[in-house]
């Protein structure tokens, strides 16, 4: 199972990514959780302390490694460098184990922009493609509000592309934009998960404004999730009702892609 999760900042996509990672790990699966959002928060949502998080070096900042593998100095543009660098050892060598979940923090190249042709960006995209194509692991990717790290080859291997939305016009506009970007890359399954739901009116509002996308579940507004965030604690261990909802989302994803 390969799941990429995106959405406007603050909608709860990192919370969902962490919960799905824990659910698959609890089921006995090998899980790699990839933080591909430059505003990296997945480590905290999985349960690392702030002291531990400070010791994490994003892969995009591993200048020596990137230069060794691509043959070009990070930060350089153009020139000649390897477009297919070796990355097969990176998931094991550069990941952090959190309760049986392997976390990889990608980071972002300083030159990152649409179409960036720099060593860091090539290396990150190659690494993500390698991970997603591995048939033996569950991959949960926490992405930014877009699909910058995806290539056409990677997108084709993703089983489910989840857009997390909250009841609000800006969040839904972001979802529609992401759906258009995903379509251009040939993503097969684009689903919507509603977050911070207070009542059925919120769900009705979202269903009326997702323009044909499939709403497969929701996470209710939860004081337990808010408190877990305040305490820098993993919501999976402190918000039991949200875990039940996340498990329903997991099952809905699996049923939808099996059709």
């Amino acid at each position: 199972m390969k799941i990429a999760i995106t959405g406007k900042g603050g909608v709860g996509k990192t919370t969902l990514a962490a919960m799905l990672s824990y659910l698959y790990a609890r089921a006995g699966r090998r899980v790699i959780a990839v933080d591909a959002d430059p505003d990296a928060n997945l480590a905290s949502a999985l349960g690392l302390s702030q002291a531990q998080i400070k010791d994490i070096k994003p892969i995009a900042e591993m200048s020596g490694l990137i230069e060794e593998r691509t043959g070009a100095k990070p930060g350089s543009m153009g020139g000649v460098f390897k477009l297919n660098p070796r990355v097969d050892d990176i998931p094991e060598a550069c990941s952090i184990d959190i309760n049986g979940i392997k976390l990889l923090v990608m980071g972002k190249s300083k030159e990152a922009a649409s179409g960036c042709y720099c060593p860091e960006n090539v290396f990150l995209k190659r690494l993500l493609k390698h991970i997603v194509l591995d048939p033996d692991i569950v991959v949960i990717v926490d992405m930014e509000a877009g699909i910058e790290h995806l290539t056409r080859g990677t997108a084709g291997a993703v089983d489910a592309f989840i857009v997390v939305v909250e009841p609000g016009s800006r969040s839904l506009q972001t979802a529609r934009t992401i759906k258009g970007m995903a379509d251009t890359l040939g993503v097969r399954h684009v689903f919507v998960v509603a977050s911070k739901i207070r009542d059925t009116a919120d769900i009705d509002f979202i269903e009326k404004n997702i323009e044909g996308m499939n709403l497969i579940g929701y996470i209710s507004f939860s004081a337990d999730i808010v408190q877990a965030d305040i305490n820098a604690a993993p919501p999976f261990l402190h918000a039991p009702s949200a875990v039940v909802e996340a498990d329903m989302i997991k099952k809905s994803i699996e049923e939808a892609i099996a059709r």
Side-chain angles (χ1 to χ4, degrees):
M1 179 65 70
K2 322 295 179 185
I3 301 172
I5 303 174
T6 187
K8 187 177 75 69
V11 295
K13 63 184 182 62
T14 298
T15 295
L16 179 62
M19 287 190 170
L20 289 176
S21 297
Y22 267 105
L23 286 167
Y24 277 106
R26 186 174 70 179
R29 303 293 301 275
R30 291 176 56 213
V31 178
I32 291 183
V34 181
D35 196 337
D37 190 336
D39 183 20
N41 291 299
L42 187 54
S44 177
L46 289 170
L48 285 191
S49 68
Q50 290 303 308
Q52 292 170 311
I53 292 170
K54 287 180 180 178
D55 290 334
I56 297 175
K57 188 172 185 178
I59 292 170
E61 297 177 13
M62 296 181 180
S63 302
L65 174 65
I66 293 171
E67 184 172 4
E68 174 196 333
R69 299 299 174 90
T70 66
K73 188 176 181 62
S76 61
M77 298 289 289
V80 178
F81 55 87
K82 294 178 183 177
L83 298 179
N84 192 31
R86 182 192 172 200
V87 295
D88 60 295
D89 58 331
I90 301 300
E92 187 63 34
C94 299
S95 64
I96 302 147
D97 189 281
I98 308 171
N99 298 321
I101 299 165
K102 297 284 189 181
L103 171 66
L104 276 174
V105 178
M106 302 283 274
K108 187 173 185 177
S109 69
K110 293 181 177 62
E111 304 292 339
S114 179
C116 171
Y117 203 61
C118 57
E120 303 100 302
N121 210 30
V122 167
F123 189 78
L124 292 178
K125 287 186 175 184
R126 168 64 181 148
L127 174 58
L128 184 56
K129 183 176 181 180
H130 169 76
I131 295 167
V132 169
L133 290 175
D134 189 325
D136 298 324
I137 56 176
V138 171
V139 179
I140 309 293
V141 186
D142 181 13
M143 306 190 72
E144 60 185 320
I147 53 178
E148 177 180 312
H149 283 90
L150 289 183
T151 62
R152 182 168 295 275
T154 309
V158 171
D159 294 303
F161 200 86
I162 308 298
V163 186
V164 180
V165 301
E166 61 186 0
S169 59
R170 287 184 291 275
S171 172
L172 291 164
Q173 178 57 49
T174 298
R176 291 190 288 269
T177 300
I178 292 169
K179 175 63 162 60
M181 296 168 70
D183 287 344
T184 64
L185 285 179
V187 176
R188 294 171 294 173
H189 299 291
V190 180
F191 304 123
V192 172
V193 166
S195 179
K196 303 180 183 179
I197 297 301
R198 299 162 297 183
D199 50 36
T200 56
D202 283 346
I203 296 176
D204 291 341
F205 172 76
I206 289 170
E207 286 184 321
K208 290 176 182 177
N209 288 279
I210 55 176
E211 298 185 359
M213 287 183 278
N214 184 11
L215 178 66
I216 59 166
Y218 64 89
I219 300 290
S220 301
F221 179 83
S222 168
D224 289 334
I225 291 178
V226 173
Q227 192 60 48
D229 189 21
I230 291 171
N231 296 335
F236 184 83
L237 302 179
H238 296 275
S241 61
V243 172
V244 172
E245 292 171 339
D247 195 31
M248 293 173 64
I249 291 167
K250 171 180 172 290
K251 291 173 182 176
S252 295
I253 294 170
E254 293 167 349
E255 290 170 1
I257 66 175
R259 292 174 190 154

